[in-house]
């Protein structure tokens, strides 16, 4: 990463920051939206100094994607279940919480996908890019890193390339490593690798360009997913960090993302 993942001590806001509130369609989120909108003056997201997202982790990802080009910090409050990317919900003292919040900068992954019919697609991922077999037969993939063939044939259910922020999600469930923020690494993790049987993946520099070429694609079709964008009938996937795009998240000091990622490594 040219501008690495990091947490700053504080995030400076003006005396009267303009706030925008967005919510998922769950009942809890809608009720929170009504309460906050009557307590604080609200503006459209395009005019805001901070966007407050109300929902779960899925909605937080949607919000980050939707407003990615605004370069506006986003402060999430959990109205879902896990809430890994969000702060606790409390309608009072919001301005004080924002003034003392820690500022995390993330960079998404940029994905270029070529399908069997020659079409090219682009997508961005905050958590991970993954490829998966579409049929009962295992996928066969060759792995290239920075133009070098690193694995001639990987037989597996799929492959994940995860950011540090996404390393505790799908990557962790596939037995991949948790990557701390600021490590300047990406996690390349196989899903149910059959050959080579003992390969558990690799940690790569965040500047690495990863290319996955699908072998026997007609017989063993593969799909690619970048967060919640899915493309089927894939022949090749190229992934790199989009260092020119930054996502700015705000966290309460006691709930900052860096601490959560470290804490995940010590859970039973």
């Amino acid at each position: 990463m040219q501008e690495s993942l990091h947490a700053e001590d504080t995030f400076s806001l003006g005396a009267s920051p303009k706030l925008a509130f967005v919510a998922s369609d769950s009942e809890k989120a809608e009720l929170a939206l009504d309460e906050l909108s009557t307590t604080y003056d609200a503006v459209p997201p395009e005019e805001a100094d901070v966007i407050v997202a109300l929902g779960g982790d899925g909605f937080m990802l949607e919000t980050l994607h939707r407003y990615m080009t605004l370069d506006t910090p986003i402060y999430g409050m959990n109205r879902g279940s896990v809430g890994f990317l969000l702060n606790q919900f409390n309608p009072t003292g919001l301005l004080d919480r924002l003034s003392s919040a820690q500022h995390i900068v993330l960079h998404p992954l940029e994905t270029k996908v070529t399908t069997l019919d020659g079409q090219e697609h682009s997508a961005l991922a905050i958590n991970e890019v993954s490829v998966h077999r579409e049929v009962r037969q295992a996928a066969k993939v060759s792995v290239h890193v920075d133009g070098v063939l690193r694995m001639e044939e990987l037989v597996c259910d799929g492959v994940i390339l995860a950011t540090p922020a996404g390393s505790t999600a799908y990557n962790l469930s596939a037995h991949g490593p948790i990557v701390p923020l600021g490590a300047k690494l990406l996690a390349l993790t196989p899903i149910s690798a059959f050959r080579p049987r003992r390969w558990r993946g690799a940690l790569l520099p965040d500047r690495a360009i990863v290319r996955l070429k699908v072998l026997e694609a007609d017989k063993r079709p593969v799909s690619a997913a970048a967060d919640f964008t899915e493309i089927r009938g894939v022949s090749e996937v190229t992934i790199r960090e989009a260092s020119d795009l930054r996502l700015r998240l705000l966290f309460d000091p006691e709930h900052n993302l860096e601490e959560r990622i470290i804490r995940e490594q010590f859970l039973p």
Side-chain angles (χ1 to χ4, degrees):
M1 301 174 188
Q2 301 304 309
E3 180 185 351
S4 64
L5 291 163
H6 65 284
E8 297 175 356
D9 291 336
T10 59
F11 174 70
S12 298
L13 285 174
S16 301
K18 294 181 289 185
L19 306 181
F21 299 99
V22 294
S24 70
D25 57 5
S26 73
E27 182 179 0
K28 285 201 307 182
E30 293 287 352
L31 289 173
L33 177 63
D34 290 341
E35 184 173 8
L36 289 168
S37 297
T38 57
T39 305
Y40 304 94
D41 292 332
V43 299
E46 293 75 15
E47 301 175 13
D49 296 314
V50 176
I51 297 172
V52 178
L54 306 165
D57 285 315
F59 181 73
M60 185 63 171
L61 281 178
E62 291 177 17
T63 303
L64 289 167
H65 276 274
R66 183 175 299 122
Y67 302 112
M68 189 176 292
T69 59
L70 294 183
D71 195 34
T72 302
I74 297 177
Y75 179 88
M77 286 202 282
N78 187 21
R79 293 284 78 193
S81 52
V82 178
F84 190 81
L85 293 173
L86 301 112
N87 301 283
Q88 290 184 348
F89 176 74
N90 188 338
T92 62
L94 178 57
L95 294 179
D96 289 337
R97 292 171 72 182
L98 291 175
S99 66
S100 61
Q102 292 186 333
H103 181 210
I104 299 288
V105 176
L106 308 177
H107 296 281
L109 297 175
E110 180 183 15
T111 312
K112 303 290 184 184
V113 178
T114 303
T115 53
L116 293 173
D117 58 7
Q119 295 188 48
E120 295 186 349
H121 306 264
S122 298
L124 294 169
I126 297 163
N127 272 357
E128 74 277 318
V129 176
S130 56
V131 299
H132 311 85
R133 66 183 175 97
E134 293 183 9
V135 294
R136 61 179 179 81
Q137 290 180 300
K140 288 187 176 181
V141 180
S142 65
V143 180
H144 307 248
V145 180
D146 294 331
V148 178
L149 177 61
R150 295 297 183 182
M151 188 166 292
E152 187 171 347
E153 183 179 273
L154 171 62
V155 183
C156 58
D157 281 354
V159 185
I160 300 167
L161 185 68
T163 66
S167 66
T168 61
Y170 190 13
N171 172 74
L172 179 60
S173 69
H175 307 291
I178 294 176
V179 182
L181 292 180
K184 298 187 177 183
L185 296 172
L186 302 173
L188 182 66
T189 302
I191 305 169
S192 301
F194 181 67
R195 288 287 187 274
R197 192 179 296 275
R198 289 185 173 83
W199 190 64
R200 293 294 181 262
L203 289 172
L204 303 175
D206 58 9
R207 64 181 181 277
I209 300 173
V210 177
R211 183 159 59 106
L212 305 173
K213 296 185 69 174
V214 181
L215 310 176
E216 301 180 23
D218 290 327
K219 179 182 178 183
R220 303 168 185 268
V222 165
S223 64
D227 284 351
F228 32 73
T229 299
E230 183 178 11
I231 301 163
R232 300 179 72 82
V234 168
S235 64
E236 185 174 306
V237 180
T238 301
I239 314 160
R240 70 181 73 200
E241 186 191 70
S243 57
D244 57 327
L245 288 174
R246 67 175 187 171
L247 306 169
R248 303 163 67 194
L249 283 72
L250 298 177
F251 289 93
D252 296 331
E254 66 273 19
H255 294 291
N256 76 78
L257 186 60
E258 193 165 34
E259 168 60 23
R260 292 184 191 191
I261 289 176
I262 293 174
R263 191 165 60 236
E264 282 287 324
Q265 299 176 76
F266 294 91
L267 293 178

Coordinates of all heavy atoms in Angstrom, one line a residue, residues 134-219:
E134 N -18.0 -24.1 -9.8 CA -19.4 -24.0 -10.0 C -20.1 -25.4 -10.1 O -21.4 -25.4 -10.1 CB -19.7 -23.3 -11.4 CG -19.3 -21.8 -11.3 CD -19.6 -21.1 -12.6 OE1 -20.3 -21.7 -13.5 OE2 -19.2 -20.0 -12.8
V135 N -19.4 -26.5 -10.2 CA -20.0 -27.8 -10.4 C -19.4 -28.7 -9.4 O -18.6 -28.3 -8.5 CB -19.7 -28.3 -11.8 CG1 -20.5 -27.4 -12.8 CG2 -18.3 -28.4 -12.2
R136 N -19.8 -30.0 -9.5 CA -19.3 -31.0 -8.5 C -17.8 -31.2 -8.6 O -17.2 -31.6 -7.6 CB -20.0 -32.3 -8.7 CG -19.8 -32.9 -10.1 CD -20.5 -34.3 -10.2 NE -20.3 -34.8 -11.6 CZ -19.2 -35.5 -11.9 NH1 -18.3 -35.7 -11.0 NH2 -19.1 -36.0 -13.1
Q137 N -17.2 -31.0 -9.7 CA -15.8 -31.2 -9.9 C -14.9 -30.1 -9.3 O -15.4 -28.9 -9.4 CB -15.4 -31.4 -11.3 CG -15.9 -32.7 -11.9 CD -15.5 -32.9 -13.4 OE1 -15.8 -32.0 -14.2 NE2 -14.7 -33.9 -13.7
A138 N -13.8 -30.4 -8.7 CA -12.9 -29.4 -8.2 C -12.4 -28.4 -9.3 O -12.3 -28.8 -10.4 CB -11.7 -30.0 -7.4
A139 N -12.1 -27.2 -8.9 CA -11.5 -26.3 -9.8 C -10.0 -26.6 -10.0 O -9.4 -27.1 -9.0 CB -11.7 -24.9 -9.4
K140 N -9.5 -26.2 -11.1 CA -8.0 -26.2 -11.3 C -7.6 -24.8 -11.7 O -8.1 -24.3 -12.7 CB -7.7 -27.2 -12.4 CG -7.8 -28.7 -12.0 CD -7.3 -29.6 -13.1 CE -7.4 -31.1 -12.6 NZ -6.8 -32.0 -13.7
V141 N -6.6 -24.3 -10.9 CA -6.2 -22.9 -11.1 C -4.7 -22.9 -11.1 O -4.0 -23.6 -10.3 CB -6.8 -22.1 -10.0 CG1 -6.4 -20.6 -10.1 CG2 -8.3 -22.2 -9.9
S142 N -4.1 -22.0 -11.9 CA -2.7 -21.7 -11.8 C -2.6 -20.4 -11.1 O -3.4 -19.5 -11.4 CB -2.0 -21.8 -13.1 OG -2.5 -20.7 -14.0
V143 N -1.5 -20.2 -10.3 CA -1.4 -19.0 -9.5 C -0.1 -18.3 -9.9 O 1.0 -18.8 -9.9 CB -1.3 -19.4 -8.0 CG1 -1.1 -18.1 -7.1 CG2 -2.5 -20.2 -7.5
H144 N -0.3 -17.0 -10.3 CA 0.8 -16.2 -10.7 C 0.9 -14.9 -9.8 O -0.2 -14.3 -9.5 CB 0.6 -15.7 -12.2 CG 0.4 -16.8 -13.2 ND1 1.2 -17.1 -14.1 CD2 -0.7 -17.6 -13.3 CE1 0.8 -18.1 -14.9 NE2 -0.4 -18.4 -14.4
V145 N 2.1 -14.6 -9.4 CA 2.3 -13.4 -8.5 C 3.3 -12.5 -9.2 O 4.5 -13.0 -9.4 CB 2.7 -13.8 -7.1 CG1 2.9 -12.6 -6.2 CG2 1.7 -14.7 -6.4
D146 N 2.9 -11.3 -9.5 CA 3.8 -10.3 -10.1 C 4.5 -10.9 -11.4 O 5.7 -10.8 -11.6 CB 4.9 -9.9 -9.1 CG 4.4 -9.1 -8.0 OD1 3.3 -8.4 -8.2 OD2 4.9 -9.1 -6.9
G147 N 3.7 -11.6 -12.2 CA 4.1 -12.2 -13.4 C 4.9 -13.5 -13.3 O 5.3 -14.0 -14.4
V148 N 5.1 -14.0 -12.1 CA 5.8 -15.2 -11.9 C 4.9 -16.4 -11.6 O 4.0 -16.2 -10.7 CB 6.9 -15.1 -10.8 CG1 7.6 -16.4 -10.5 CG2 7.8 -14.0 -11.1
L149 N 5.0 -17.5 -12.3 CA 4.1 -18.6 -12.0 C 4.6 -19.3 -10.7 O 5.7 -19.8 -10.6 CB 4.2 -19.7 -13.2 CG 3.5 -21.0 -13.0 CD1 2.0 -20.7 -12.8 CD2 3.8 -21.9 -14.1
R150 N 3.8 -19.2 -9.7 CA 4.1 -19.7 -8.4 C 3.5 -21.1 -8.1 O 4.1 -21.9 -7.4 CB 3.6 -18.8 -7.3 CG 4.3 -17.4 -7.3 CD 5.8 -17.5 -7.0 NE 6.5 -16.2 -6.9 CZ 7.8 -16.1 -6.7 NH1 8.6 -17.2 -6.6 NH2 8.3 -14.9 -6.7
M151 N 2.4 -21.4 -8.8 CA 1.8 -22.7 -8.6 C 1.2 -23.1 -10.0 O 0.3 -22.5 -10.4 CB 0.8 -22.7 -7.5 CG 0.3 -24.1 -7.2 SD -0.6 -24.2 -5.6 CE 0.7 -23.8 -4.5
E152 N 1.7 -24.2 -10.6 CA 1.3 -24.6 -11.9 C -0.1 -25.1 -11.9 O -0.9 -24.8 -12.8 CB 2.2 -25.6 -12.5 CG 2.0 -26.0 -13.9 CD 3.0 -26.9 -14.5 OE1 4.1 -27.0 -13.9 OE2 2.8 -27.4 -15.6
E153 N -0.5 -25.9 -10.9 CA -1.9 -26.4 -10.8 C -2.3 -26.6 -9.4 O -1.7 -27.4 -8.6 CB -2.0 -27.7 -11.5 CG -3.4 -28.3 -11.6 CD -3.5 -29.6 -12.3 OE1 -3.6 -29.6 -13.5 OE2 -3.3 -30.7 -11.7
L154 N -3.3 -25.8 -9.0 CA -3.9 -25.9 -7.6 C -5.3 -26.5 -7.8 O -6.1 -25.9 -8.5 CB -4.0 -24.6 -7.0 CG -4.8 -24.5 -5.7 CD1 -4.2 -25.4 -4.6 CD2 -5.0 -23.0 -5.2
V155 N -5.5 -27.7 -7.3 CA -6.8 -28.4 -7.4 C -7.6 -28.1 -6.1 O -7.1 -28.5 -5.0 CB -6.7 -29.9 -7.6 CG1 -8.0 -30.5 -7.8 CG2 -5.8 -30.1 -8.8
C156 N -8.7 -27.4 -6.1 CA -9.4 -26.9 -4.9 C -10.8 -26.6 -5.2 O -11.3 -26.7 -6.3 CB -8.6 -25.7 -4.4 SG -8.6 -24.4 -5.7
D157 N -11.5 -26.2 -4.1 CA -12.9 -25.7 -4.2 C -12.8 -24.2 -4.6 O -13.8 -23.7 -5.1 CB -13.7 -25.9 -2.9 CG -14.2 -27.3 -2.8 OD1 -14.1 -28.1 -3.7 OD2 -14.8 -27.6 -1.7
G158 N -11.7 -23.6 -4.3 CA -11.6 -22.1 -4.6 C -10.4 -21.5 -4.0 O -9.6 -22.2 -3.3
V159 N -10.2 -20.2 -4.2 CA -9.1 -19.5 -3.7 C -9.6 -18.1 -3.2 O -10.5 -17.5 -3.9 CB -8.0 -19.3 -4.7 CG1 -6.8 -18.6 -4.1 CG2 -7.6 -20.6 -5.4
I160 N -9.0 -17.6 -2.1 CA -9.4 -16.3 -1.6 C -8.1 -15.4 -1.5 O -7.1 -15.9 -1.1 CB -9.9 -16.4 -0.1 CG1 -11.2 -17.3 -0.1 CG2 -10.3 -15.1 0.5 CD1 -11.6 -17.7 1.3
L161 N -8.3 -14.2 -1.9 CA -7.3 -13.1 -1.6 C -7.9 -12.1 -0.7 O -8.9 -11.4 -1.2 CB -6.7 -12.5 -2.9 CG -5.6 -11.5 -2.6 CD1 -4.3 -12.3 -2.1 CD2 -5.2 -10.7 -3.9
A162 N -7.5 -12.0 0.5 CA -8.2 -11.2 1.5 C -7.3 -10.0 1.9 O -6.1 -10.1 2.1 CB -8.5 -12.0 2.8
T163 N -7.9 -8.9 2.2 CA -7.3 -7.7 2.8 C -7.1 -8.0 4.3 O -7.8 -8.9 4.9 CB -8.1 -6.4 2.6 OG1 -9.4 -6.6 3.3 CG2 -8.4 -6.2 1.1
P164 N -6.3 -7.2 5.0 CA -6.3 -7.3 6.5 C -7.7 -7.2 7.1 O -8.0 -7.9 8.0 CB -5.3 -6.2 6.9 CG -4.4 -6.1 5.8 CD -5.3 -6.2 4.5
A165 N -8.5 -6.2 6.6 CA -9.8 -6.0 7.2 C -10.7 -7.2 7.0 O -11.6 -7.5 7.8 CB -10.4 -4.7 6.6
G166 N -10.5 -7.9 5.8 CA -11.3 -9.0 5.5 C -10.7 -10.3 6.0 O -11.4 -11.4 5.8
S167 N -9.6 -10.3 6.6 CA -8.9 -11.6 6.9 C -9.6 -12.3 8.0 O -9.4 -13.5 8.2 CB -7.4 -11.3 7.3 OG -7.3 -10.6 8.5
T168 N -10.5 -11.6 8.8 CA -11.2 -12.3 9.9 C -12.6 -12.8 9.4 O -13.3 -13.3 10.2 CB -11.4 -11.3 11.1 OG1 -12.2 -10.2 10.6 CG2 -10.1 -10.8 11.6
A169 N -12.9 -12.6 8.1 CA -14.2 -13.1 7.6 C -14.1 -14.4 6.9 O -13.7 -15.4 7.5 CB -14.7 -12.0 6.7
Y170 N -14.4 -14.5 5.6 CA -14.4 -15.7 4.8 C -13.0 -16.3 4.9 O -12.8 -17.6 5.0 CB -14.7 -15.4 3.4 CG -15.0 -16.6 2.5 CD1 -15.1 -17.9 3.0 CD2 -15.1 -16.4 1.1 CE1 -15.4 -18.9 2.1 CE2 -15.4 -17.4 0.3 CZ -15.5 -18.7 0.8 OH -15.7 -19.8 0.0
N171 N -11.9 -15.5 4.8 CA -10.6 -16.0 4.9 C -10.3 -16.9 6.2 O -9.7 -17.9 6.1 CB -9.6 -14.9 4.8 CG -8.2 -15.3 5.1 OD1 -7.5 -15.9 4.2 ND2 -7.6 -14.9 6.2
L172 N -10.8 -16.4 7.3 CA -10.6 -17.1 8.6 C -11.3 -18.4 8.6 O -10.8 -19.4 9.1 CB -11.0 -16.2 9.7 CG -10.8 -16.8 11.1 CD1 -9.4 -17.2 11.4 CD2 -11.4 -15.8 12.2
S173 N -12.6 -18.4 8.0 CA -13.4 -19.6 8.0 C -12.7 -20.7 7.1 O -13.0 -21.9 7.3 CB -14.8 -19.3 7.6 OG -14.8 -19.0 6.2
A174 N -11.9 -20.2 6.2 CA -11.2 -21.2 5.3 C -9.8 -21.5 5.9 O -9.0 -22.1 5.1 CB -11.1 -20.6 3.9
H175 N -9.6 -21.2 7.1 CA -8.4 -21.5 7.9 C -7.2 -20.7 7.4 O -6.0 -21.1 7.5 CB -8.0 -23.0 7.8 CG -9.1 -23.9 8.2 ND1 -9.6 -24.0 9.5 CD2 -10.0 -24.7 7.5 CE1 -10.6 -24.8 9.6 NE2 -10.8 -25.3 8.4
G176 N -7.5 -19.5 6.9 CA -6.4 -18.6 6.5 C -6.0 -17.7 7.7 O -6.6 -17.7 8.7
P177 N -4.8 -17.0 7.6 CA -4.3 -16.3 8.7 C -5.0 -15.0 8.9 O -5.5 -14.4 8.0 CB -2.8 -16.0 8.3 CG -2.9 -16.0 6.8 CD -4.0 -17.0 6.4
I178 N -5.1 -14.5 10.1 CA -5.5 -13.2 10.4 C -4.4 -12.2 10.2 O -3.3 -12.4 10.7 CB -6.1 -13.1 11.9 CG1 -7.3 -13.9 12.0 CG2 -6.4 -11.6 12.3 CD1 -7.9 -14.0 13.4
V179 N -4.6 -11.1 9.5 CA -3.6 -10.2 9.2 C -3.8 -8.9 9.9 O -4.9 -8.2 9.7 CB -3.5 -9.9 7.7 CG1 -2.4 -8.9 7.3 CG2 -3.3 -11.2 6.9
P180 N -2.9 -8.4 10.8 CA -3.2 -7.1 11.5 C -3.2 -6.0 10.5 O -2.5 -6.0 9.5 CB -2.0 -7.1 12.5 CG -1.5 -8.5 12.6 CD -1.7 -9.1 11.2
L181 N -3.9 -4.9 10.9 CA -3.9 -3.7 10.1 C -2.4 -3.1 10.2 O -1.8 -3.2 11.2 CB -4.8 -2.7 10.7 CG -6.3 -3.0 10.6 CD1 -7.1 -1.9 11.2 CD2 -6.7 -3.1 9.1
G182 N -2.0 -2.5 9.1 CA -0.7 -2.0 9.1 C 0.4 -3.0 8.7 O 1.6 -2.6 8.6
A183 N 0.0 -4.3 8.5 CA 1.0 -5.3 8.2 C 1.5 -5.2 6.7 O 2.5 -5.8 6.3 CB 0.5 -6.7 8.5
K184 N 0.7 -4.5 5.9 CA 1.0 -4.3 4.5 C 1.1 -5.7 3.8 O 2.0 -5.9 3.0 CB 2.3 -3.5 4.3 CG 2.3 -2.1 4.8 CD 3.5 -1.3 4.4 CE 3.4 0.1 4.9 NZ 4.5 1.0 4.5
L185 N 0.2 -6.5 4.1 CA 0.1 -7.9 3.6 C -1.3 -8.2 3.1 O -2.3 -7.6 3.6 CB 0.5 -8.9 4.6 CG 2.0 -8.8 5.2 CD1 2.1 -9.8 6.3 CD2 3.0 -9.2 4.1
L186 N -1.4 -9.2 2.2 CA -2.6 -9.8 1.7 C -2.5 -11.3 2.0 O -1.4 -11.9 1.9 CB -2.8 -9.5 0.2 CG -2.9 -8.0 -0.2 CD1 -3.0 -7.9 -1.7 CD2 -4.1 -7.3 0.4
A187 N -3.6 -11.9 2.3 CA -3.7 -13.3 2.6 C -4.2 -14.1 1.4 O -5.4 -13.8 1.0 CB -4.5 -13.6 3.8
L188 N -3.4 -15.0 0.8 CA -3.9 -15.8 -0.3 C -4.1 -17.2 0.3 O -3.2 -17.9 0.8 CB -2.8 -15.9 -1.4 CG -3.1 -16.7 -2.6 CD1 -4.3 -16.1 -3.4 CD2 -1.9 -16.9 -3.5
T189 N -5.4 -17.6 0.3 CA -5.8 -18.8 1.0 C -6.6 -19.8 0.1 O -7.6 -19.3 -0.5 CB -6.7 -18.4 2.2 OG1 -5.9 -17.5 3.1 CG2 -7.1 -19.6 3.0
P190 N -6.2 -21.0 0.1 CA -7.0 -22.0 -0.7 C -8.3 -22.4 0.1 O -8.3 -22.4 1.3 CB -6.1 -23.2 -0.9 CG -5.2 -23.1 0.4 CD -5.0 -21.7 0.7
I191 N -9.3 -22.8 -0.7 CA -10.5 -23.4 -0.1 C -10.5 -24.8 -0.4 O -10.6 -25.3 -1.5 CB -11.8 -22.7 -0.6 CG1 -11.7 -21.2 -0.5 CG2 -13.0 -23.2 0.0 CD1 -12.8 -20.4 -1.2
S192 N -10.4 -25.7 0.7 CA -10.4 -27.1 0.5 C -9.4 -27.6 -0.6 O -9.8 -28.2 -1.5 CB -11.8 -27.6 0.2 OG -12.7 -27.2 1.2
A193 N -8.2 -27.3 -0.4 CA -7.2 -27.7 -1.4 C -7.0 -29.2 -1.4 O -6.9 -29.8 -0.4 CB -5.8 -27.0 -1.1
F194 N -7.0 -29.8 -2.6 CA -6.8 -31.2 -2.8 C -5.4 -31.6 -3.2 O -4.8 -32.5 -2.7 CB -7.9 -31.8 -3.8 CG -7.8 -33.3 -4.0 CD1 -8.1 -34.1 -3.0 CD2 -7.3 -33.8 -5.2 CE1 -8.0 -35.5 -3.1 CE2 -7.2 -35.2 -5.4 CZ -7.6 -36.0 -4.3
R195 N -4.9 -30.8 -4.1 CA -3.5 -30.9 -4.6 C -3.0 -29.5 -4.8 O -3.6 -28.7 -5.5 CB -3.4 -31.7 -5.9 CG -3.7 -33.2 -5.7 CD -2.5 -33.9 -5.0 NE -2.7 -35.3 -5.0 CZ -3.4 -36.0 -4.1 NH1 -3.9 -35.4 -3.1 NH2 -3.5 -37.3 -4.1
P196 N -1.8 -29.1 -4.3 CA -1.1 -29.8 -3.3 C -1.8 -29.9 -2.0 O -2.2 -28.8 -1.5 CB 0.3 -29.1 -3.2 CG 0.1 -27.8 -3.9 CD -1.2 -27.8 -4.7
R197 N -1.9 -31.0 -1.4 CA -2.7 -31.3 -0.2 C -2.3 -30.5 1.0 O -3.1 -30.0 1.8 CB -2.7 -32.8 0.1 CG -3.8 -33.1 1.1 CD -3.8 -34.6 1.4 NE -4.1 -35.4 0.2 CZ -5.3 -35.7 -0.2 NH1 -6.4 -35.3 0.5 NH2 -5.6 -36.4 -1.2
R198 N -1.0 -30.2 1.2 CA -0.5 -29.6 2.4 C -0.4 -28.1 2.2 O 0.1 -27.4 3.1 CB 0.8 -30.2 2.8 CG 0.6 -31.6 3.4 CD 1.9 -32.1 4.0 NE 1.7 -33.4 4.6 CZ 1.6 -34.6 4.0 NH1 1.8 -34.7 2.7 NH2 1.4 -35.7 4.7
W199 N -0.7 -27.5 1.0 CA -0.5 -26.1 0.8 C -1.6 -25.3 1.6 O -2.8 -25.5 1.4 CB -0.6 -25.7 -0.7 CG -0.2 -24.3 -0.9 CD1 1.0 -23.7 -0.7 CD2 -1.0 -23.2 -1.4 NE1 1.0 -22.4 -1.0 CE2 -0.2 -22.1 -1.5 CE3 -2.3 -23.2 -1.9 CZ2 -0.7 -20.9 -1.9 CZ3 -2.8 -22.0 -2.3 CH2 -2.0 -20.8 -2.3
R200 N -1.2 -24.4 2.5 CA -2.1 -23.7 3.3 C -2.2 -22.2 2.9 O -2.9 -21.4 3.6 CB -1.6 -23.7 4.8 CG -1.7 -25.1 5.4 CD -3.2 -25.6 5.5 NE -3.3 -26.9 6.0 CZ -3.4 -28.0 5.3 NH1 -3.5 -28.0 4.0 NH2 -3.5 -29.2 5.9
G201 N -1.6 -21.8 1.8 CA -1.7 -20.4 1.3 C -0.4 -19.7 1.5 O 0.7 -20.2 1.8
A202 N -0.5 -18.4 1.3 CA 0.7 -17.5 1.4 C 0.3 -16.1 1.8 O -0.8 -15.7 1.6 CB 1.4 -17.5 0.0
L203 N 1.3 -15.5 2.4 CA 1.1 -14.0 2.8 C 2.0 -13.3 1.7 O 3.1 -13.5 1.5 CB 1.7 -13.7 4.2 CG 0.8 -14.2 5.3 CD1 1.5 -14.1 6.6 CD2 -0.6 -13.5 5.3
L204 N 1.3 -12.3 1.1 CA 1.9 -11.5 0.0 C 2.0 -10.1 0.3 O 1.2 -9.5 1.1 CB 1.1 -11.7 -1.3 CG 0.9 -13.2 -1.8 CD1 0.0 -13.2 -3.0 CD2 2.2 -13.8 -2.1
P205 N 3.0 -9.3 -0.2 CA 3.0 -7.9 0.0 C 1.8 -7.2 -0.6 O 1.2 -7.7 -1.6 CB 4.3 -7.5 -0.8 CG 5.1 -8.7 -1.0 CD 4.1 -9.8 -1.0
D206 N 1.4 -6.2 0.0 CA 0.1 -5.5 -0.5 C 0.3 -4.9 -1.9 O -0.7 -4.7 -2.5 CB -0.3 -4.4 0.5 CG 0.7 -3.4 0.8 OD1 1.7 -3.4 0.1 OD2 0.5 -2.5 1.7
R207 N 1.5 -4.8 -2.4 CA 1.7 -4.3 -3.7 C 1.7 -5.4 -4.8 O 1.8 -5.1 -6.0 CB 3.0 -3.6 -3.8 CG 4.2 -4.5 -3.6 CD 5.6 -3.7 -3.6 NE 6.7 -4.6 -3.4 CZ 7.1 -5.0 -2.2 NH1 6.5 -4.5 -1.1 NH2 8.2 -5.8 -2.1
A208 N 1.5 -6.6 -4.3 CA 1.6 -7.8 -5.2 C 0.4 -7.8 -6.2 O -0.7 -7.3 -5.8 CB 1.6 -9.1 -4.5
I209 N 0.6 -8.2 -7.4 CA -0.4 -8.4 -8.4 C -0.6 -9.9 -8.6 O 0.3 -10.6 -8.9 CB -0.1 -7.8 -9.7 CG1 0.1 -6.3 -9.6 CG2 -1.2 -8.0 -10.8 CD1 0.7 -5.6 -10.8
V210 N -1.8 -10.4 -8.2 CA -2.1 -11.8 -8.3 C -3.0 -12.1 -9.5 O -4.0 -11.5 -9.7 CB -2.8 -12.2 -7.0 CG1 -3.2 -13.7 -7.0 CG2 -1.9 -12.0 -5.8
R211 N -2.6 -13.1 -10.2 CA -3.4 -13.6 -11.4 C -3.7 -15.0 -11.2 O -2.8 -15.9 -11.0 CB -2.6 -13.3 -12.7 CG -3.4 -13.7 -13.9 CD -2.9 -13.0 -15.2 NE -1.5 -13.3 -15.4 CZ -1.1 -14.1 -16.4 NH1 -2.0 -14.6 -17.2 NH2 0.2 -14.4 -16.5
L212 N -5.0 -15.3 -11.3 CA -5.5 -16.7 -11.2 C -6.0 -17.1 -12.5 O -7.0 -16.5 -13.0 CB -6.6 -16.8 -10.1 CG -6.2 -16.3 -8.7 CD1 -7.4 -16.3 -7.8 CD2 -5.1 -17.2 -8.1
K213 N -5.4 -18.1 -13.2 CA -5.9 -18.6 -14.5 C -6.6 -19.9 -14.3 O -6.1 -20.9 -13.6 CB -4.7 -18.8 -15.4 CG -4.0 -17.5 -15.7 CD -2.9 -17.7 -16.8 CE -3.5 -18.0 -18.1 NZ -2.4 -18.0 -19.2
V214 N -7.8 -20.0 -14.8 CA -8.6 -21.2 -14.6 C -8.2 -22.2 -15.7 O -8.2 -21.9 -16.9 CB -10.1 -20.9 -14.8 CG1 -11.0 -22.1 -14.6 CG2 -10.5 -19.8 -13.7
L215 N -7.9 -23.4 -15.3 CA -7.5 -24.5 -16.1 C -8.7 -25.4 -16.4 O -9.5 -25.6 -15.5 CB -6.4 -25.3 -15.5 CG -5.2 -24.5 -15.0 CD1 -4.1 -25.4 -14.4 CD2 -4.5 -23.7 -16.2
E216 N -8.8 -25.9 -17.6 CA -10.0 -26.8 -18.0 C -11.3 -26.1 -17.7 O -12.2 -26.7 -17.1 CB -9.9 -28.1 -17.2 CG -8.6 -28.9 -17.5 CD -8.6 -30.2 -16.8 OE1 -9.7 -30.8 -16.4 OE2 -7.5 -30.8 -16.5
A217 N -11.4 -24.8 -18.0 CA -12.5 -24.0 -17.6 C -13.8 -24.5 -18.2 O -14.9 -24.3 -17.6 CB -12.3 -22.5 -18.1
D218 N -13.8 -25.1 -19.4 CA -15.1 -25.6 -20.0 C -15.6 -26.8 -19.2 O -16.8 -26.9 -19.0 CB -14.8 -26.0 -21.4 CG -14.6 -24.8 -22.3 OD1 -15.2 -23.8 -22.1 OD2 -13.8 -24.9 -23.3
K219 N -14.7 -27.6 -18.7 CA -15.1 -28.8 -18.0 C -15.3 -28.5 -16.5 O -16.2 -29.1 -15.9 CB -14.0 -29.9 -18.1 CG -14.2 -31.2 -17.4 CD -13.1 -32.1 -17.5 CE -13.3 -33.4 -16.8 NZ -12.1 -34.3 -16.8

